[in-house]
Amino acid sequence: MSDCIFCNIINKNSPADILHEDDDFIVVKDIKPTAPVHLLIIPKEHIDSINHIEKKHRELIGDMFLLAKKTAHDYEISEGYKLAFNTGRKGGQLIDHLHLHLMGGWNEEQK
Ligand code: 5GP
Ligand code: ZN
């Protein structure tokens, strides 16, 4: 999808600091972080949202959580973090390419 920000990042048509890349995913820093550590786990396949996942995506979605767990470990926030899929405009979704927010790094009193 040429008008999709995340597809453009995945295809290297837009610049981004890619922290991790494998056959199925990229991980980037959110450009407007709302947590001390705010990363986005993004599948390379363009899927609009959780409303658009199908049975064929079961393994991909499972792998997304495993990558989130590994990334939390790598960025030393495994002690506590939040994972979120904003879904639909009323759910706060701004970019219609599935992504999992990984947020953490707060002190005890900040969360
Ligand atoms: P959503 O609101 O769709 O769940 O989340 C989209 C997220 O992507 C937002 O937190 C926003 O700050 C982030 N974002 C928007 N454009 C870009 C971009 O070009 N690069 C990166 N790394 N993050 C972006
Ligand atoms: Zn896309």
Side-chain angles (χ1 to χ4, degrees):
M1 284 217 178
S2 60
D3 58 346
C4 170
I5 295 172
F6 289 166
C7 280
N8 284 328
I9 290 174
I10 289 158
N11 296 327
K12 313 282 162 49
N13 290 323
S14 294
D17 193 7
I18 297 177
L19 306 175
H20 166 89
E21 178 166 13
D22 60 38
D23 287 348
D24 297 319
F25 300 99
I26 59 166
V27 178
V28 296
K29 278 189 187 166
D30 196 295
I31 44 164
K32 272 177 70 181
T34 60
V37 177
H38 187 170
L39 308 179
L40 302 172
I41 318 284
I42 308 174
K44 288 185 171 176
E45 179 180 346
H46 181 99
I47 303 166
D48 278 13
S49 78
I50 283 290
N51 278 338
H52 298 81
I53 58 171
E54 298 170 19
K55 264 197 171 173
K56 67 177 179 188
H57 296 121
R58 282 186 298 185
E59 193 174 350
L60 185 77
I61 299 302
D63 286 347
M64 221 171 163
F65 283 106
L66 289 173
L67 181 55
K69 173 186 138 181
K70 181 187 180 301
T71 307
H73 174 80
D74 291 348
Y75 284 79
E76 299 179 334
I77 57 168
S78 9
E79 211 180 330
Y81 54 92
K82 296 177 197 283
L83 295 173
F85 286 108
N86 295 332
T87 305
R89 293 293 171 268
K90 290 186 178 177
Q93 185 177 8
L94 297 172
I95 298 187
D96 293 332
H97 180 131
L98 189 69
H99 51 281
L100 180 58
H101 291 259
L102 167 62
M103 295 161 289
W106 303 280
N107 297 322
E108 276 295 308
E109 62 273 15
Q110 282 180 308
K111 52 169 205 301

